[in-house]
Amino acid sequence: MERLSRVLFLSEDGFKIFLEQLVSSKNVIAPVETDGCFEFKTIKRAGEASLNYSNTRLPPKRFFLPQREVVFKHDPKKGTLHEPLGGFEMVLLGVRPCDASALSILDSILLKPPNPDPFYESRRRSITVVSLSCAKPGEECFCNVFEAGPVRGSGEDITLTRITGGLLVEVRSSRGQALVDVFKNLFEKAGAEHLEEYGELSSRLTREMNSRIGIARERLVRLEETLDEGFFQKEAQRCVECSLCSFTCPVCYCFDTEDYLEKNIYMRAKGWDTCASPLFTRMASGLDPRASRVEMFCHRFCHKLSRIPLAFNSYGCVGCGRCVSLCPAGVDIREVLKRWG
Amino acid sequence: MGLNPYAPKPARIVGIKDETPDTKTFTLSPNVFEGFTPGQFAMLTVYGVGEAPFSICSSPFDKDFLQFSIRRMGRVTRMVHEASVGDEVGVRGPYGRGWPVDTMNGRDILIVGGGIGLAPLRSLVLHLLEEREKYGEIAVCYGARTPSLLMYRDELAEWAGRGVKLYLTVDVGEEGWKGNVGVVTTILGEPELDRATAIVCTCGPPVMIRFVLRRLVELGFSKENIYASLESRMRCGIGKCGHCHFGGKHVCLDGPVFQYDEMTGLPKGISPF
């Protein structure tokens, strides 16, 4: 087993108290079941959290990268308005490891010097991410391919894993430590039997997932060079350009900006955009360097599977399976991976 | 919060000059940049309307103002064209990698422009002329579709007077045009330069760049000394928004100026090849 930074044990009863005390003292966002779907919502009572879920329908990305946010205000008389960023403090509880891993990829891209995104940075600093290991990966899940789960992610502050009699608690960051410190009398030292069970669970789940889909990841990076135009023909023909794949992706981060006038203040908002949109690269002149859907797919998949890994040593996909289950045209990145790898 | 990279700094339009029927050069003051390299670009904001990337066309030696030559093309450029002297706009930058000015000392320099593509090259020419003695021959091959679409027409003669060998051409002549007629590739062989070591900088429409690059290699210019400025849709200018991301390169960070061999690795569409 990998070296853990700090491992604790939380009994079933201790977890109940932890949840109750957490919601009474902090702004807590957790999966809530509504109409058969699990979505991250603010909870006021511990009982509102539904923690028996495969994954939430939407990733928690929007808490770090809102669909739309104002990034600039300019008053024609007073000049640029400098408003302090803040008020983002919250605990995001029950994030799946794949979605937590997506955050570490976003960190490497959006916090990259010399121009880190201050809006993302401020939220990332203020939100404590508590992940909950998967006990039963969903049908479309393939986090194993990118080592983004199923038990442990790479971007969370605390990893919770259900084991006999309670939860194993891995403290992964100083933010996680600060949260644990608040409730320190609830946690016990993890015993050897806890670690052993954790280790067995981790290897069993990974083994099971590997038997469903296994890809030689190191091959993905280099295969871009050998791609021909026909490689994405099937995907390109099926695609209806709805962009659901990237809007529900926990990693996709591209954005557009919009300038407008509101109550005599000039505003600039930034909001989600996607390379799957046919207008994404078109210039005012009408020239479009990436005009075809085949080229779009090539860009989308190569970006995730070879360019991000080459630049940041981690994949731009975490295998959450949302794009697979939500695509109305049945485009399946796992098929691409199998064909590719 | 750290510096907000999405917030432009305010500057006033202090001069507007008509260059061609659809292009004007705007002079902005104060110069909100501490310095820049010729070939770098800025994001220009028309408050409440939008923001778009433009090459800086003034000289880095001009500390008091910045200039941008802007062709009326889309929503933002239309509003820029409707602006008047005294109006306030927003500027942020400078962004990207400019022309390789550090490699130019003692060498011949060939500058090849097409249409409004001369804008980022004007910044380079003005930069070179500031310390003319540091360089070998400086040749400018410049073409436009018609004589009235030639940019900076009143300045070109002045450049020639300060030590630039000027070669002009137009695709289609007009009454009174006595110069060369033909695309810019037809005049690339005219300047007498040390082709093995000369630095070449080009900017223009993508199709022009493609044929210029091909012709330069035929003429014996060295690929490692050939640079082109490419264009792309952009939103942030700092490598975050994804719009100018092609083949692992961000035009806003890795470009807009690319070396010949870097361009061969770009995907079809953005690559001039």
Side-chain angles (χ1 to χ4, degrees), chain B residues 42-62:
Chain B
M43 297 297 291
L44 196 67
T45 296
V46 179
Y47 292 122
V49 175
E51 193 180 36
F54 298 99
S55 292
I56 307 164
C57 71
S58 49
S59 163
F61 286 92
D62 288 323

Side-chain angles (χ1 to χ4, degrees), chain A residues 71 117 256 268 280 290, chain B residues 4 6 45 88 235 243 245:
Chain A
V71 294
D117 183 306
D256 201 356
R268 170 167 298 152
F280 192 67
R290 196 190 297 135
Chain B
N4 180 355
Y6 308 113
T45 296
E88 189 179 288
R235 274 295 178 256
H243 285 266
H245 189 213

Side-chain angles (χ1 to χ4, degrees), chain B residues 146-157:
Chain B
T146 65
S148 56
L149 292 177
L150 288 166
M151 300 274 299
Y152 316 120
R153 283 172 74 167
D154 52 337
E155 283 180 40
L156 296 175

Side-chain angles (χ1 to χ4, degrees), chain B residues 26-83:
Chain B
F26 296 83
T27 305
L28 308 184
S29 181
N31 178 345
V32 297
F33 301 154
E34 279 175 25
F36 65 90
T37 306
Q40 281 194 294
F41 70 95
M43 297 297 291
L44 196 67
T45 296
V46 179
Y47 292 122
V49 175
E51 193 180 36
F54 298 99
S55 292
I56 307 164
C57 71
S58 49
S59 163
F61 286 92
D62 288 323
K63 301 293 181 198
D64 299 334
F65 60 87
L66 288 170
Q67 287 178 317
F68 300 92
S69 293
I70 297 174
R71 186 171 170 195
R72 184 197 292 256
M73 196 51 94
R75 212 162 53 95
V76 172
T77 53
R78 192 172 65 240
M79 293 309 288
V80 175
H81 271 243
E82 285 173 17

Side-chain angles (χ1 to χ4, degrees), chain A residues 147-164:
Chain A
E147 292 179 349
V151 170
R152 193 173 192 267
S154 56
E156 65 265 47
D157 300 302
I158 294 173
T159 308
L160 299 179
T161 309
R162 285 191 190 282
I163 52 173
T164 309

Side-chain angles (χ1 to χ4, degrees), chain A residues 99-113:
Chain A
D99 290 338
S101 296
L103 293 173
S104 64
I105 301 168
L106 291 176
D107 289 348
S108 55
I109 297 166
L110 299 175
L111 301 181
K112 190 182 175 191

Side-chain angles (χ1 to χ4, degrees), chain A residues 130-198:
Chain A
V130 182
S131 76
L132 185 59
S133 306
C134 288
K136 193 172 176 296
E139 274 176 37
E140 279 102 5
C141 294
F142 55 103
C143 59
N144 58 311
V145 171
F146 305 109
E147 292 179 349
V151 170
R152 193 173 192 267
S154 56
E156 65 265 47
D157 300 302
I158 294 173
T159 308
L160 299 179
T161 309
R162 285 191 190 282
I163 52 173
T164 309
L167 297 117
L168 193 81
V169 180
E170 259 185 83
V171 180
R172 307 282 301 275
S173 71
S174 52
R175 239 185 338 258
Q177 185 64 51
L179 186 68
V180 163
D181 286 345
V182 177
F183 306 97
K184 55 176 172 266
N185 49 357
L186 295 175
F187 298 94
E188 304 161 32
K189 197 168 172 290
E193 73 280 13
H194 298 134
L195 294 175
E196 197 179 325
E197 189 181 345
Y198 172 93

